[in-house]
């Protein structure tokens, strides 16, 4: 079981070479196949995830959640997707049409790119990038631009307010986000995600870096625009924020991208802090799925408990609390590493 | 020097957090509110004019539509006003039943205020818990009056029918659970740091301003004046009950919120006493089929509704219909302080303030 | 403070996560309704005495009915009863007012219909209510008519015999009475008309009579003028 997917990949390459393809072309085709698989997984995953969030939030509120279509209402999301696909596509007449239309596509492309570097199991990633973590952070911050495009292109005050909020928020939270990961990088000595996983052979980084874990969790919630930091959307205040003017499938793309981001960030959290695909008995790719879903459930739990924070508090929380704390964590980690080396433990 | 343009944002009449058809036009400088212009009238149904074309009894169901979240309170106010006008004596048992229904309505209204504040501030789960508890009150209303929301149970001269057998156990168990509910709201929302940060010091309404504007109800009490008509000018049999009037001094959103939660407990105390002392007997006075007041008589009767002082002014010209009926709607007057409390705050404070001022548009627009 | 409130909140939601859901499963499971629940307004035709209390107490003009006066008794006969349900606000005033308990609310709350016309319900008089009486009701009607005809005939005779006396009840001036009696003698149709009206509706008869007189006066005036020329 463990090497199910890697063996499949090797078999595929071998088969292609026997067909007479040069190894380079075989690699390219394999990459394409990997991409297609990832996109399929993402889509399927999102369908389950949306259903799961509705179900979980319902349980928190003593409701039943979707229960009409299929067992436990599991096909509800599919029905919703069909509904969204058949809806009228409205583009406001005053909108900047090009920006308005490209924003959702841009958002989802950026979100899917995140999956390139995440190790889905032992030796299972699209590209084994040696700056994987850096790639992930920089790709993640690109989604700000998509939101700004959506807000600006819509020519709507609510959208613009949402977009401006999201830019302010994401830029502020990028810093503690990166800083909190630095501690991990310092210990493992690598930006390659597979190396980071390997470094957690004995002990998970969540135990070595609890402060970093917490700051990363908070900053990631803000990066994901999830409650209690869902400023850009802010249903009850900005009536949907940057997404106000979007309908049908365009809106659904934003929705999909948000969940795609959620899975990616949760997977990264599982990789960096929770030992990645490492775990006993079960195959590695199952472990990462379990851990990712565990993190996602915590995200759900937080969102469905807390009220939304106020914009100015949000900013001051980032600059006055999270940034100093994560900086302090770097200092502490450095001191710890120095101490270890001095004692000759590592 | 940074320069920014002033722009207007229309919050409502179609907006998730405006509690019906409120239209607040916010004049904004960035995220800072410079002024708020309140536009009313989207739910205007000319209730006062309708009253002039209906007999005294026929108008009873319409009053419930004023404050549709605490339906028994406006009905009680109107019925008592007419009884005052005509000198009708209400049987003892009916008075007690009316108190129970009125206080249940107050709780229902406060629970809506609590849950709506929850959802307006993004705590969706708070909404569901508040609604879940309110459901039990709705079931009690259904038991007595046959309808859940607009139960049309209180009548001129008493109540529509005697309480059914299952009424007292249901009310009793609800009253017993009130402290538990309060704990839950407090635990989920009040004690939450994010919640506190969003509410504390937001939308401060000073004592002087509150009096100047004529604010009444929980909003006035949050500003430091323990004024409640149930105590100040007891109507019905409120003078027989022992209860406190919660008051705070800060006048900010958190105080307004806390007052409502505390009032749940006080209402529970009143209901408990009413249940304990409920006498036997008639529930409706013998009144003529056609009610007529002497020409030229007039009456003003006020009660403490869930939102504040709810007054009815009735003038009779001798016919079986009021010559003129005026409603002093607390929500209308309370809404007028919205610009005052919002100025200088950020945009999100506007939402908080609307939620904690707890206006009901059916009443303010009439 | 310092995050305790946040953790407490998380604890509360977690506790509810494992509690039983309270969602009502309508339409799979019908909700339990209180005995007094007001669903759809129902009307029982047999009991109704057409007193009109319900119509008068309804604030929204939902109810209306049509009656027919029976000829042999003072009782009104209810022909149809209409509930224009779209205006009903379920206030129960009509039910409380009805002395015969013919109105009541049932527990059916699924009141939506496909077209606006379906909301209005008209109860027609059930056939079996009339069947028992019809047998003797029909001849009564005939008798009634012939009775009236006899009266009119008698009146006509009386008018021809002694017009002054009867007409004095309707007209005030002697001159007018004279004119009218002359008119009636010369024109049988006019006499018949007045006799019929006298039996059925005295006031109208007086008016019509006055009308005849003024018309005749005018005619005579014109005739005089024509003669002079
Ligand atoms: S319930 Fe009220 S509104 Fe409906 S028919 Fe009866 S009196 Fe009229
Ligand atoms: S009040 Fe009752 S008996 Fe009278 S007309 Fe109405 S339904 Fe018939």
């Amino acid at each position: 079981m463990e090497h199910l997917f890697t063996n499949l990949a090797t078999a595929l390459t071998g088969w292609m070479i026997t067909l007479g393809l040069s190894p380079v072309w075989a690699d390219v085709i394999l990459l394409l196949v990997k991409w297609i698989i990832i996109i399929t997984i993402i889509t399927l995953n999102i369908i389950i995830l949306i259903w799961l969030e509705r179900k979980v939030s319902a349980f928190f509120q003593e409701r039943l959640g979707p229960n009409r279509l299929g067992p436990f209402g599991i096909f509800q999301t599919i029905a919703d997707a069909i509904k969204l696909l058949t809806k009228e596509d409205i583009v406001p007449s005053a909108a900047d049409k090009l920006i308005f239309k490209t924003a959702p596509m841009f958002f989802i492309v950026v979100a899917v790119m995140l999956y390139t570097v995440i190790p889905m199991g032992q030796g299972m990633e699209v590209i084994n990038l040696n700056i994987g973590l850096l790639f992930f952070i920089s790709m993640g911050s690109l989604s700000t631009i998509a939101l700004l495009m959506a807000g600006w292109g819509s020519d709507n005050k609510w959208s613009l307010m949402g977009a401006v909020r999201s830019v302010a928020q994401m830029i502020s939270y990028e810093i503690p986000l990166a800083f909190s990961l630095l501690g991990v990088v310092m210990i493992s000595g690598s930006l390659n995600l597979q190396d980071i996983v390997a470094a957690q052979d004995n002990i998970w980084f969540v135990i070595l870096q609890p402060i970093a874990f917490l700051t990363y969790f908070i900053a990631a919630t803000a990066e994901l625009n999830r409650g209690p930091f869902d400023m850009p959307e802010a249903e009850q205040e900005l009536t949907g924020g940057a997404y106000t003017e979007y309908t049908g499938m365009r809106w659904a793309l934003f929705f999909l991208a948000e969940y795609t981001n959620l899975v990616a960030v949760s997977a990264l959290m599982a990789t960096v802090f929770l030992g990645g695909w490492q775990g006993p008995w079960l195959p590695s790719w199952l472990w990462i799925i379990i851990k990712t879903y565990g993190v996602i459930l915590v995200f759900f739990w937080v969102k469905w408990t807390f009220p939304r924070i106020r914009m100015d508090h949000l900013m001051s929380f980032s600059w006055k609390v999270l940034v100093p704390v994560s900086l302090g964590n770097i200092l502490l980690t450095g001191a710890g590493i120095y101490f270890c080396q001095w004692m000759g433990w590592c | 020097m940074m320069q920014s343009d002033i722009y207007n944002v229309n919050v409502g009449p179609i907006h998730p957090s405006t509690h019906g058809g409120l239209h607040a036009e916010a004049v904004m400088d960035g995220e800072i509110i410079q002024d708020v212009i309140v536009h009313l009238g989207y739910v205007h149904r000319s209730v006062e004019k309708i009253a002039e074309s209906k007999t005294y009894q026929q108008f009873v169901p319409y009053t419930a539509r004023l404050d549709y979240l605490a339906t028994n309170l406006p009905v009680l106010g109107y019925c008592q006003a007419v009884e005052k006008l005509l000198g009708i004596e209400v049987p003892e048992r009916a008075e007690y039943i009316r108190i129970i229904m009125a206080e249940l309505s107050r709780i229902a209204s406060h629970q809506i205020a609590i849950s709506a504040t929850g959802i307006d501030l993004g705590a969706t789960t708070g909404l569901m818990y508040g609604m879940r508890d309110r459901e039990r009150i709705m079931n009690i209303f259904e038991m007595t009056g046959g309808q859940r929301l607009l139960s049309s149970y209180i009548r001129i001269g008493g109540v529509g029918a005697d309480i059914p057998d299952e009424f007292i156990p249901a009310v009793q168990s609800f009253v017993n659970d009130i402290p538990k509910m309060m704990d839950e709201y407090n635990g989920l929302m009040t004690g939450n740091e994010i919640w506190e940060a969003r509410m504390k010091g937001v939308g401060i309404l000073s004592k002087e301003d509150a009096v100047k504007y004529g604010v009444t109800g929980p909003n006035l009490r949050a500003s430091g004046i323990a004024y409640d008509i149930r105590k100040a000018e007891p109507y019905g049999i409120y003078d027989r009950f022992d209860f406190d009037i919660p008051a705070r001094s800060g006048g900010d959103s958190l105080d307004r919120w806390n007052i409502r939660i505390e009032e749940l407990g006080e209402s529970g105390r009143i209901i408990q006493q009413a249940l304990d002392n409920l006498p036997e007997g008639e529930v409706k006075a013998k009144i003529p089929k056609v009610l007529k007041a002497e020409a030229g008589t007039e009456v003003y009767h006020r009660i403490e509704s869930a939102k504040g002082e709810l007054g009815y002014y009735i003038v009779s010209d001798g016919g079986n219909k009021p010559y003129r009926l005026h409603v002093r709607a607390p929500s209308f007057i309370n809404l007028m302080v919205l610009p005052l409390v919002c100025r200088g705050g950020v945009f999100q404070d506007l939402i908080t303030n609307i939620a904690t001022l707890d206006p009901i548009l059916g009443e303010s627009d009439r | 403070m310092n995050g305790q409130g946040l953790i407490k909140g998380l604890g509360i939601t977690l506790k509810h996560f494992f509690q039983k859901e309270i969602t009502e499963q309508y339409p799979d499971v019908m909700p339990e309704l209180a005995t007094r629940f007001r669903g759809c307004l129902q009307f029982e035709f047999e009991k109704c005495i057409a007193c009109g209390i319900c119509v008068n107490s309804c604030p929204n003009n939902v109810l209306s009915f049509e009656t027919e006066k029976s000829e042999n008794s003072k009782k009104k006969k209810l022909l149809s009863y209409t509930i224009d349900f779209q205006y009903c606000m379920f206030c129960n005033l009509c039910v409380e007012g009805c002395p015969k308990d013919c109105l009541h609310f049932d527990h059916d709350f699924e009141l939506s219909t496909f077209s606006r016309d379906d909301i209005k319900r008209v109860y027609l008089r059930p056939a079996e209510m009339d069947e028992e009486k019809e047998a003797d009701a029909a001849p009564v009607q005939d008798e009634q008519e012939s009775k009236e005809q006899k009266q009119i005939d008698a009146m006509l005779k009386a008018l021809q015999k002694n017009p002054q006396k009867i007409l004095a009840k309707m007209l005030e001036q002697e001159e007018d009475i004279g004119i009218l009696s002359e008119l009636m003698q010369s024109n049988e149709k006019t006499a018949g008309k007045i006799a019929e009206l006298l039996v059925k509706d005295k006031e109208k008869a007086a008016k019509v009579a006055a009308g005849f007189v003024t018309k005749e006066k005018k005619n005579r005036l014109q005739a005089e003028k024509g003669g002079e020329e």
Side-chain angles (χ1 to χ4, degrees):
Chain A
M1 280 307 271
E2 170 60 55
H3 298 294
L4 180 66
F5 292 104
T6 33
N7 288 346
L8 268 178
T10 346
L12 192 65
T13 337
W15 179 66
M16 277 189 292
I17 289 171
T18 51
L19 280 185
L21 260 99
S22 73
V24 181
W25 276 109
D27 260 5
V28 169
I29 289 173
L30 187 70
L31 210 61
L32 271 178
V33 170
K34 278 181 183 173
W35 265 112
I36 289 163
I37 290 172
I38 282 201
I39 288 172
T40 326
I41 289 175
I42 289 173
T43 332
L44 283 177
N45 203 15
I46 277 19
I47 284 173
I48 294 169
L49 211 61
I50 293 173
W51 168 80
L52 188 74
E53 167 140 37
R54 293 177 65 179
K55 212 68 183 167
V56 166
S57 65
F59 287 157
F60 279 131
Q61 303 174 345
E62 296 190 11
R63 296 185 286 114
L64 281 171
N67 64 347
R68 290 272 162 242
L69 222 57
F72 305 105
I74 193 140
F75 299 133
Q76 186 62 47
T77 326
I78 297 171
D80 284 346
I82 293 169
K83 180 201 79 171
L84 284 170
L85 276 170
T86 52
K87 276 204 158 184
E88 187 189 351
D89 174 31
I90 299 170
V91 179
S93 55
D96 190 330
K97 303 239 165 29
L98 184 69
I99 295 181
F100 183 84
K101 285 178 181 170
T102 38
M105 294 178 221
F106 189 78
F107 201 21
I108 189 110
V109 166
V110 167
V112 173
M113 294 276 267
L114 293 177
Y115 286 81
T116 327
V117 289
I118 294 170
M120 307 276 184
Q122 203 167 12
M124 276 169 64
E125 68 278 285
V126 181
I127 309 166
N128 192 355
L129 215 58
N130 59 357
I131 48 157
L133 202 56
L134 190 63
F135 178 84
F136 190 93
I137 295 171
S138 29
M139 271 299 154
S141 49
L142 273 184
S143 57
T144 322
I145 298 176
L147 281 177
L148 184 61
M149 280 163 74
W152 183 259
S154 302
D155 193 36
N156 177 317
K157 282 173 196 164
W158 300 118
S159 308
L160 190 61
M161 273 167 92
V164 172
R165 277 180 177 193
S166 86
V167 172
Q169 171 184 339
M170 291 214 188
I171 289 177
S172 309
Y173 276 83
E174 210 85 293
I175 296 160
L177 188 88
F179 278 0
S180 51
L181 289 175
L182 262 187
V184 173
V185 175
M186 281 161 77
I187 296 177
S188 64
S190 169
L191 282 170
N192 186 322
L193 285 170
Q194 286 288 16
D195 289 352
I196 292 176
V197 173
Q200 299 181 69
D201 219 355
N202 300 322
I203 187 161
W204 289 0
F205 283 151
V206 65
I207 298 161
L208 290 178
Q209 294 276 318
I211 303 172
F213 178 74
L214 213 65
T215 45
Y216 180 78
F217 185 81
I218 296 170
T221 321
E223 276 282 299
L224 288 171
N225 297 330
R226 282 191 71 78
F229 300 105
D230 52 347
M231 291 298 124
E233 204 182 330
E235 174 92 40
Q236 291 87 8
E237 290 146 17
L238 300 185
T239 66
Y243 313 149
T244 307
E245 292 289 358
Y246 283 91
T247 52
M249 208 50 213
R250 283 185 214 285
W251 179 83
L253 276 184
F254 277 113
F255 201 58
L256 279 182
E258 290 216 325
Y259 277 95
T260 316
N261 271 335
L262 174 67
V263 181
V265 168
S266 306
L268 186 80
M269 236 169 130
T271 310
V272 173
F273 290 104
L274 301 176
W277 42 259
Q278 303 206 28
W281 310 305
L282 296 174
S284 58
W285 45 272
L286 208 58
W287 267 114
I288 188 106
I289 291 175
I290 292 171
K291 284 173 185 172
T292 307
Y293 266 78
V295 176
I296 288 173
L297 282 177
V298 178
F299 273 122
F300 286 170
W301 185 16
V302 168
K303 168 164 182 175
W304 292 101
T305 304
F306 292 156
R308 185 178 302 112
I309 203 163
R310 209 169 81 184
M311 192 61 206
D312 47 342
H313 296 156
L314 179 92
M315 299 299 280
S316 65
F317 182 68
S318 169
W319 293 104
K320 291 181 188 162
V321 181
L322 280 186
V323 171
V325 165
S326 49
L327 270 174
N329 183 57
I330 294 174
L331 192 72
L332 216 67
T333 317
I337 292 172
Y338 185 76
F339 180 73
C340 276
Q341 281 169 350
W342 184 63
M343 293 290 283
W345 290 343
C346 53
Chain B
M1 179 70 192
M2 215 167 77
Q3 279 249 315
S4 57
D5 277 347
I6 304 288
Y7 63 102
N8 289 19
V9 177
N10 288 307
V11 183
I14 299 169
H15 185 279
S17 323
T18 49
H19 297 208
L22 174 65
H23 177 188
E25 191 183 339
V27 182
M28 310 266 298
D29 175 10
E31 278 249 358
I32 308 290
I33 296 176
Q34 298 234 317
D35 201 3
V36 175
I37 306 158
V38 181
H39 301 279
L40 289 174
Y42 289 93
V43 205
H44 177 66
R45 294 148 299 167
S46 62
V47 171
E48 289 176 6
K49 194 71 194 164
I50 289 175
E52 291 167 20
S53 63
K54 305 278 171 212
T55 63
Y56 289 110
Q57 287 108 322
Q58 279 180 350
F59 189 60
V60 172
Y62 285 93
T63 52
R65 272 88 178 153
L66 284 173
D67 183 347
Y68 38 76
L69 300 181
T71 46
N72 281 315
L73 285 165
V75 182
L76 177 69
Y78 173 73
C79 288
Q80 283 184 336
V82 175
E83 282 153 15
K84 211 167 168 181
L85 184 76
L86 301 166
I88 297 170
E89 276 288 321
V90 179
E92 195 82 333
R93 185 175 171 84
E95 287 279 24
Y96 275 92
I97 297 174
R98 279 177 169 194
I99 296 275
I100 295 174
M101 299 309 278
E103 292 305 319
L104 281 176
S105 291
R106 192 184 313 279
I107 293 177
S109 166
H110 283 347
Q111 272 172 341
I112 286 277
I114 286 164
S115 29
T117 314
I119 182 114
D120 286 352
L121 265 60
T124 330
T125 307
L127 168 90
M128 298 315 291
Y129 291 173
M131 287 299 202
R132 175 200 61 197
D133 298 336
R134 182 172 173 273
E135 190 65 19
R136 292 169 67 182
I137 300 182
M138 293 295 110
N139 285 339
I140 293 170
F141 286 176
E142 184 182 328
M143 217 178 264
T144 54
Q147 282 284 309
R148 300 165 59 75
L149 193 64
L150 303 155
S151 74
S152 175
Y153 180 57
I154 295 175
R155 292 289 147 78
I156 297 170
V159 293
D162 204 350
I163 48 174
D165 294 337
E166 63 270 27
F167 176 78
I168 291 179
V171 177
Q172 187 63 58
S173 86
F174 181 79
V175 172
N176 293 345
D177 287 347
I178 290 178
K180 219 173 80 193
M181 294 170 197
M182 285 162 68
D183 278 351
E184 204 166 276
Y185 306 147
N186 281 331
L188 186 68
M189 296 181 269
T190 321
N192 192 309
E193 278 79 5
I194 301 175
W195 188 270
E196 217 173 295
R198 287 227 30 200
M199 285 222 172
K200 209 168 176 69
V202 167
I204 296 178
L205 177 64
S206 71
K207 211 183 212 174
E208 293 74 32
D209 284 334
V211 174
K212 251 190 259 166
Y213 276 81
V215 172
T216 45
N219 300 333
L220 177 68
R221 298 196 274 278
S223 293
I225 299 173
Y227 175 76
D228 188 319
I229 297 166
R230 286 177 292 174
K231 278 262 200 260
E233 195 188 297
Y235 51 92
I237 51 165
Y238 268 109
D239 41 2
R240 297 184 204 170
F241 294 94
D242 171 35
F243 61 99
D244 297 327
I245 299 165
R248 299 258 166 159
S249 54
D252 60 0
S253 284
L254 191 63
D255 281 341
R256 290 197 280 272
W257 158 267
N258 277 326
I259 289 273
R260 292 212 168 81
I261 293 196
E262 278 170 42
E263 279 189 9
L264 295 184
E266 293 307 321
S267 291
R269 270 174 72 191
I270 298 175
I271 298 174
Q272 186 61 59
Q273 291 168 42
L275 281 179
D276 294 344
N277 301 324
L278 188 68
E280 290 297 319
E282 285 288 305
V283 293
K284 195 165 182 199
K286 294 255 165 334
I287 54 166
K289 277 247 144 66
V290 179
L291 295 177
K292 273 185 185 167
E294 256 172 62
T297 46
E298 56 181 48
V299 69
Y300 179 73
H301 181 73
R302 55 187 190 158
I303 65 159
E304 180 75 23
S305 93
K307 316 286 190 298
E309 175 183 331
L310 174 68
Y312 287 93
Y313 177 58
I314 306 177
V315 183
S316 160
D317 62 350
N320 60 353
K321 296 164 186 168
Y323 172 69
R324 173 81 170 92
L325 182 138
H326 173 71
V327 184
R328 187 231 185 253
S331 296
F332 177 70
I333 292 149
N334 291 353
L335 256 180
M336 294 304 124
V337 296
L338 185 65
L340 186 79
V341 298
C342 283
R343 264 173 223 144
V346 299
F347 180 71
Q348 281 173 300
D349 292 348
L350 171 64
I351 307 295
T352 317
N353 287 331
I354 294 175
T356 54
L357 283 175
D358 188 29
I360 170 113
L361 274 296
E363 187 180 74
S364 81
D365 293 358
R366 270 160 284 160
Chain C
M1 263 284 110
N2 299 329
Q4 278 163 21
L6 298 176
I7 290 164
K8 195 172 171 192
L10 286 174
I12 288 176
T13 38
L14 190 67
K15 201 180 86 201
H16 283 289
F17 188 85
F18 297 108
Q19 259 167 20
K20 208 171 168 291
E21 287 75 36
I22 51 163
T23 311
E24 284 203 11
Q25 293 276 20
Y26 173 81
D28 293 346
V29 183
M30 277 297 184
E32 262 180 52
L33 298 170
T35 29
R36 287 187 193 169
F37 182 81
R38 296 186 211 136
C40 188
L41 188 61
Q42 296 293 351
F43 174 70
E44 289 168 63
F45 209 102
E46 288 79 5
K47 287 193 202 161
C48 180
I49 52 168
C51 66
I53 292 177
C54 53
V55 176
N56 286 331
S57 57
C58 177
N60 250 359
N61 302 335
V62 176
L63 310 169
S64 60
F65 57 72
E66 278 179 3
T67 52
E68 189 186 70
K69 256 207 191 122
S70 340
E71 293 76 4
N72 52 347
S73 66
K74 273 174 219 146
K75 251 190 171 172
K76 277 183 283 181
K77 193 171 119 186
L78 189 62
L79 291 181
S80 72
Y81 192 93
T82 311
I83 302 178
D84 200 354
F85 212 47
Q86 56 183 321
Y87 300 117
C88 181
M89 53 179 174
F90 306 90
C91 64
N92 215 27
L93 289 179
C94 53
V95 179
E96 275 168 34
C98 177
K100 291 284 168 192
D101 288 336
C102 20
L103 286 165
H104 69 270
F105 279 105
D106 65 10
H107 280 192
D108 175 20
F109 56 89
E110 293 162 318
L111 300 173
S112 38
T113 53
F114 274 103
S115 106
R116 197 189 175 99
D117 305 326
D118 298 344
I119 311 172
K120 193 167 174 171
R121 274 182 286 130
V122 181
Y123 293 85
L124 289 175
R125 190 178 181 80
E128 61 266 24
M129 261 179 88
D130 287 337
E131 264 166 19
E132 47 214 78
K133 290 177 196 160
E134 225 153 56
D136 39 57
V140 168
Q141 219 168 22
D142 283 354
E143 233 169 68
Q144 196 76 16
E145 241 162 56
S146 56
K147 211 169 146 192
E148 215 172 65
Q149 200 53 51
K150 263 181 209 162
Q151 274 178 343
I152 292 170
D153 288 345
M155 183 61 80
L156 193 62
K157 259 179 206 161
L159 264 178
Q160 278 159 351
K161 228 187 204 169
N162 196 358
Q164 261 84 357
K165 204 178 160 194
I166 300 166
L167 289 177
K169 281 179 194 162
M170 305 189 315
L171 299 169
E172 273 152 29
Q173 274 154 341
E174 291 257 336
E175 192 199 342
D176 290 355
I177 298 168
I179 291 169
L180 192 59
S181 48
E182 267 172 41
L183 196 71
M184 282 196 317
Q185 263 149 21
S186 60
N187 191 342
E188 194 128 319
K189 225 176 164 186
T190 319
K193 178 105 190 166
I194 287 181
E196 196 186 326
L197 279 173
L198 270 173
V199 171
K200 278 186 180 159
D201 189 346
K202 293 224 163 94
E203 259 172 53
K204 206 172 169 192
K207 262 185 211 159
V208 172
F212 277 138
V213 171
T214 38
K215 206 174 164 195
E216 182 60 22
K217 267 185 187 168
K218 235 189 212 164
N219 283 349
R220 284 188 189 183
L221 258 173
Q222 247 163 20
E224 262 171 44
K225 264 185 197 166
E228 270 168 26
E229 274 166 20

